Amino acid sequence: MRLGICFSPAGLLFPYYVGAGYELQRLGILQPQTPLGGSSAGAIVAACLACGVPEETVRLGLARLVDDVRAGTRLNVALRKQLETFMNDDSPALAAKHGLTLGYFEVLPRPGPRLVRAWADRDDLIDCICASSNWPLFFSRWPFVRCRGAWCLDGFFSVPRSRFGCPVLSEGVTRTLAITALPKVSLSAFLDEDIIQPGRAGYAPALPVDDSKWFNWALTPAPDEQLDAMVELGRQHARVWASRERDSLSPATLI
């Protein structure tokens, strides 16, 4: 059995993924050879983990992204600005070595899903992350963004609805942990024990606000103190999952 980890779309709830992903790393579950994947917000954090970007760098950069969005900067511009600070010339090789998979959907000229596992250079990696994050008219003022000479949409559209944007990981992965920051959405392609999700039975603490407010924060930046609380919530839920699954997480599983 080989474990992989993927992150679903979640808009501006990405701090939850920072908490969950880096806590799994701290616990030794997410290791240098663990395949990773994601779409949209999940693609951002999965790529940072795969490329070895330190947690504090990610948190500081995403805080700056939120500040820019609050000031009226379009999300696509704010994200690319931070990705250019996160990624360097070594990042594509590190991402490929980690087995990173990013999903987006090509609309034109050859319509179809794209699951990308190799990049020509740093700019190509950044373009793929941005394409994966392109929820129409939320990410950019235009419905589509350019990537690899094509017009593209969010990675949510790259896989069946039952996966809720979580891409199929690289060959050899026999167990996939799916992480979503969105309560109540269905990830029926995955076993119940392989999902980390707010509001799921046994995942305490609960959301700090009601579901409608939480979903609103996916579209509009939450207050700073709530962004920090999202990180901590992700950490705690990662620890809940690790505690539940510790007997099944043998060293062989994590190779």
Side-chain angles (χ1 to χ4, degrees):
M1 182 181 293
R2 188 183 187 199
L3 180 70
I5 301 171
C6 62
F7 300 83
S8 87
L12 296 173
L13 298 174
F14 53 74
Y16 181 86
Y17 294 155
V18 174
Y22 282 93
E23 184 64 15
L24 290 170
Q25 185 181 75
R26 189 189 69 79
L27 293 170
I29 295 168
L30 195 165
Q31 298 194 354
Q33 67 274 19
T34 303
L36 295 168
S39 290
S40 207
I44 300 168
V45 177
C48 288
L49 286 161
C51 295
V53 184
E55 178 182 355
E56 287 309 310
T57 300
V58 174
R59 292 187 64 173
L60 179 60
L62 294 182
R64 290 171 175 163
L65 178 153
V66 167
D67 286 343
D68 284 348
V69 171
R70 288 173 179 152
T73 302
R74 295 296 305 190
L75 184 54
N76 61 321
V77 176
L79 176 59
R80 183 174 289 274
K81 176 181 173 182
Q82 297 309 319
L83 289 174
E84 288 175 350
T85 69
F86 294 162
M87 303 301 168
N88 57 43
D89 291 342
D90 294 332
S91 295
L94 290 171
K97 184 177 180 181
H98 222 305
L100 177 66
T101 302
L102 300 178
Y104 65 86
F105 188 89
E106 181 175 331
V107 179
L108 293 169
R110 300 177 302 278
R114 303 288 179 260
L115 298 180
V116 184
R117 300 187 177 100
W119 298 270
D121 53 32
R122 168 180 172 269
D123 289 341
D124 185 33
L125 175 59
I126 291 173
D127 284 348
C128 287
I129 297 170
C130 289
S132 185
S133 302
N134 181 38
W135 191 264
L137 303 178
F138 170 66
F139 183 67
S140 167
R141 69 177 69 249
W142 308 109
F144 313 130
V145 297
R146 292 285 287 180
C147 180
R148 297 186 168 188
W151 293 104
C152 305
L153 284 177
D154 193 281
F156 174 83
F157 304 103
S158 66
V159 293
R161 176 66 179 77
S162 60
R163 300 187 68 87
F164 202 79
C166 290
V168 177
L169 301 181
S170 54
E171 186 177 353
V173 173
T174 55
R175 181 181 185 185
T176 300
L177 169 61
I179 305 177
T180 182
L182 296 170
K184 296 185 178 179
V185 301
S186 172
L187 291 93
S188 57
F190 302 93
L191 298 174
D192 284 347
E193 60 266 29
D194 290 339
I195 300 172
I196 294 177
Q197 180 180 31
R200 185 167 285 269
Y203 278 89
L207 293 177
V209 295
D210 62 35
D211 288 354
S212 62
K213 185 68 172 178
W214 185 261
F215 274 92
N216 184 60
W217 284 341
L219 303 175
T220 304
D224 287 343
E225 63 273 15
Q226 294 297 342
L227 296 174
D228 291 338
M230 288 178 195
V231 174
E232 184 56 30
L233 189 67
R235 287 193 204 286
Q236 294 187 52
H237 288 179
R239 290 197 289 267
V240 168
W241 183 83
S243 177
R244 286 179 170 183
E245 299 298 317
R246 62 182 179 273
D247 292 339
S248 65
L249 297 174
S250 65
T253 306
L254 304 176
I255 292 174

